[in-house]
Amino acid sequence: MKLTPAILDILGDAISQTPPAYKAFASFNPSTGEVLAYVRDMGAEETEAAITSAQAAMPEWAAKTAKERAKILEKWHDLLMQNQEALGLLVSLEQGRAIKEARGEVAYAAGFIEWFAEEGKRAYGRTIPAPVAGKQLLTVQQPVGVVGAVTPWNFPLSMITRKLGPALAAGCAAVLKPAEDTPLSALALKQLANRAGVPEGLIHIVTAASGAEVGKVLTTDPRIKKFSFTGSTAVGKTLYAQCASTIKKISLELGGNAPVVVFDDADLDIAVPATALSKFRNSGQTCVCANRIFVQRGIYDAFVERLTAEAQRLLLGPGWEEGTGLGPLINQKAATKVTQLVEEAVSKGARVVLGGKVDEAQGPLYFPATILTHVPREARMFDEEIFGPVAALYPFDTEAEGIALANDTPFGLAAYAFTTDIKRGWRVSQAIEAGMVGLNDGVMSTEVAPFGGVKESGLGREGAVEGLEEFLETKFISFGGLG
Ligand SMILES: NC(=O)c1ccc[n+]([C@@H]2O[C@H](COP(=O)([O-])OP(=O)(O)OC[C@H]3O[C@@H](n4cnc5c(N)ncnc54)[C@H](O)[C@@H]3O)[C@@H](O)[C@H]2O)c1
Ligand SMILES: O=C[C@H](O)CS(=O)(=O)O
């Protein structure tokens, strides 16, 4: 399956379909292993030039009114939705996502642009009653400056617009390095942004086969005033430290280890499909996927049976085929990690109820929906993100035990609880250590609500009102001599 004419029309000269003369790397189709296209392999020099260009472009953009910026962002949103089929297929080809989900990724990404086009008009300051006569006190909101950003492969459009939407709405310019697995999706976003009227030079997509060199510039160049990262906690810690030398404003959207706590009194007609959706969405490759599923003992067997039936309905196949429910994992490193986690859990007593190993007949990246029971606490997958379609189930007895198990992790991004007892629901949602709690809900993500984690899952929030604040600085003005 190749890039279609509609996709090539969007990408234009940002890519090459044959090995180019310039330094380049390939983007692969995980469903087939084929090369999709080649993109520039950039480094420190290109990144520094991009920052120079962004810094030059920002003043004119910041001088526009929020309403003028909103008009251009609204046009960008419209172009994304008008190209939803082509962009959805591109995401499916480049990231392996099941096509029906990939179309949703386009709409999710466009939603951030639409939301922040509006929010940019609400960057309110305020006046403050002065404590002494002859003064007026007020605050104004100003764009933080040139933004540096680094994003992951698993949501190749929305993790970018979740940053560029508020950055541009606030009046900033940006230099962004996408993941090496999904550079085409990032370039397509920029191409359409420029067609919508975002000035050349305001957004730079710096594609690179390895992130370290580009990341070092984005985290240490003093001209970058805000650094925003989405990715693993391990890399986030490295970048956080690198930002210290210039005291950059920073946002970190990092790894998760989401618990699901299903109580005896749960409505299984809600809990089972919601857990399946959370677990198997994007083939289990989301930061908010159910990673540890705790089921109260009284319903454990019934829950295992019903979740297994849900998982069996997920057809494993190439992302672009309409019937596909589970696409391939992103690359061999991912498939090897998931395989090792399952084998290690089984070696410690876990039982495979469904799936459990790569479907070699389809290819090395095709990992089927997998259900594991009797997973021991000491299994690696209790403490590590599985990042694959593997449901690990653990029984528990009391509410206190369920909460303690849920919180037994240094991560705190998403968590889920299922109960029909409203008081229990409120108690548990307050006690669980996470930035986001789904109460009888398996998919929370929306541009209108704040997304982010606590503990080692990150700093700051994206989306919602909070998302714009990450790209603004509050200036306090004390107006004296008015007596
Ligand atoms: N919290 C969230 O909103 C969120 C969203 C999506 C993914 N994630 C997390 O991201 C991880 C999966 O994505 P991934 O595999 O792309 O993560 P990753 O951390 O390996 O890579 C993320 C990005 O960082 C770059 N990178 C890697 N090493 C770098 C370095 N030394 N300097 C600069 N850049 C570097 C990569 O090239 C990529 O662009 C998971 O842990 C997942 O939970 C979190
Ligand atoms: O993987 C991380 C994404 O943020 C998942 S979500 O679609 O935003 O929930």
Side-chain angles (χ1 to χ4, degrees):
M1 187 70 168
K2 303 292 186 188
L3 299 179
T4 62
I7 293 173
L8 294 172
D9 175 62
I10 293 170
L11 288 168
D13 61 3
I15 66 161
S16 172
Q17 287 195 275
T18 56
Y22 51 77
K23 188 182 178 190
F25 66 98
S27 176
F28 292 91
N29 178 343
S31 296
T32 64
E34 296 168 312
V35 172
L36 289 168
Y38 298 86
V39 298
R40 292 181 184 282
D41 186 3
M42 302 185 205
E45 185 179 341
E46 294 90 344
T47 306
E48 287 159 3
I51 296 170
T52 300
S53 171
Q55 191 171 47
M58 184 172 159
E60 185 176 348
W61 180 254
K64 291 181 182 294
T65 66
K67 190 169 184 176
E68 289 168 336
R69 293 196 291 266
K71 289 289 183 197
I72 294 170
L73 292 175
E74 285 158 7
K75 177 64 177 168
W76 188 12
H77 163 270
D78 295 346
L79 286 176
L80 292 175
M81 294 310 293
Q82 287 162 18
N83 291 279
Q84 186 176 16
E85 278 306 312
L87 291 171
L89 181 58
L90 176 56
V91 167
S92 191
L93 292 176
E94 191 173 40
Q95 192 248 309
R97 186 89 61 97
I99 186 66
K100 59 181 181 294
E101 277 191 47
R103 295 185 184 111
E105 164 68 354
V106 180
Y108 186 42
F112 287 103
I113 302 301
E114 181 184 51
W115 170 263
F116 284 108
E118 280 305 310
E119 277 308 291
K121 301 175 191 174
R122 298 173 182 82
Y124 300 134
R126 71 183 203 274
T127 59
I128 304 161
V132 296
K135 284 191 176 185
Q136 285 296 333
L137 311 184
L138 66 145
T139 67
V140 296
Q141 298 291 337
Q142 295 185 317
V144 65
V146 177
V147 174
V150 172
T151 53
W153 52 266
N154 66 330
F155 285 77
L157 300 176
S158 57
M159 295 305 96
I160 293 175
T161 59
R162 207 162 74 174
K163 299 177 192 301
L164 293 188
L168 268 59
C172 299
V175 179
L176 183 143
K177 190 206 78 68
E180 52 275 23
D181 294 291
T182 52
L184 305 184
S185 302
L187 292 169
L189 280 176
K190 179 192 179 292
Q191 297 289 85
L192 292 176
N194 291 145
R195 285 188 201 175
V198 172
E200 281 294 344
L202 196 74
I203 301 176
H204 291 266
I205 302 294
V206 179
T207 50
S210 167
E213 186 178 337
V214 173
K216 186 71 173 180
V217 175
L218 292 178
T219 51
T220 59
D221 189 310
R223 296 172 295 171
I224 297 286
K225 302 302 181 190
K226 162 79 180 185
F227 182 72
S228 182
F229 174 70
T230 297
S232 65
T233 292
V235 173
K237 287 179 176 179
T238 298
L239 300 178
Y240 191 17
Q242 289 177 190
C243 285
S245 65
T246 49
I247 308 292
K248 293 189 192 325
K249 191 177 175 114
I250 190 166
S251 297
L252 297 173
E253 290 286 355
L254 304 179
N257 184 6
V260 176
V261 188
V262 186
F263 292 95
D264 284 341
D265 58 29
D267 178 344
L268 293 191
D269 291 337
I270 294 173
V272 171
T275 302
L277 190 55
S278 169
K279 175 66 262 182
F280 297 114
R281 180 159 76 102
N282 199 10
S283 299
Q285 300 171 116
T286 91
C287 56
V288 293
C289 278
N291 207 61
R292 298 166 293 146
I293 303 170
F294 304 111
V295 183
Q296 205 159 20
R297 209 173 293 278
I299 57 161
Y300 186 82
D301 292 341
F303 188 89
V304 169
E305 184 179 344
R306 289 189 60 170
L307 186 65
T308 301
E310 286 279 329
Q312 284 172 321
R313 285 196 277 272
L314 293 167
L315 181 64
L316 180 64
W320 65 81
E321 290 181 358
E322 287 295 344
T324 293
L326 280 183
L329 298 179
I330 186 67
N331 56 35
Q332 188 55 57
K333 178 184 172 188
T336 299
K337 176 187 173 185
V338 174
T339 298
Q340 288 174 343
L341 286 174
V342 171
E343 289 176 347
E344 190 263 357
V346 170
S347 73
K348 292 180 176 174
R351 297 176 195 170
V352 180
V353 175
L354 182 71
K357 59 185 178 182
V358 166
D359 180 351
E360 295 292 356
Q362 293 208 56
L365 305 187
Y366 286 86
F367 205 99
T370 293
I371 305 281
L372 298 181
T373 60
H374 300 81
V375 183
R377 168 64 187 85
E378 59 272 15
R380 275 180 57 195
M381 63 172 58
F382 189 99
D383 296 306
E384 293 181 37
E385 268 184 322
I386 298 167
F387 237 62
V390 177
L393 289 105
Y394 309 77
F396 73 93
D397 294 303
T398 67
E399 181 180 304
E401 183 192 3
I403 292 169
L405 284 166
N407 288 337
D408 184 10
T409 173
F411 296 96
L413 189 59
Y416 309 88
F418 295 90
T419 176
T420 53
D421 177 335
I422 194 168
K423 288 183 179 178
R424 165 175 279 167
W426 185 249
R427 282 196 306 272
V428 171
S429 63
Q430 296 304 297
I432 283 186
E433 298 161 356
M436 303 173 284
V437 177
L439 196 49
N440 297 325
D441 185 9
V443 177
M444 297 178 268
S445 310
T446 167
E447 68 277 13
V448 308
F451 188 104
V454 297
K455 301 200 286 188
E456 296 192 17
S457 287
L459 290 172
R461 294 294 184 271
E462 293 192 327
V465 172
E466 293 84 349
L468 183 70
E469 292 164 3
E470 300 284 354
F471 296 92
L472 293 169
E473 283 292 1
T474 298
K475 178 176 282 180
F476 161 46
I477 299 169
S478 176
F479 222 142
L482 301 174

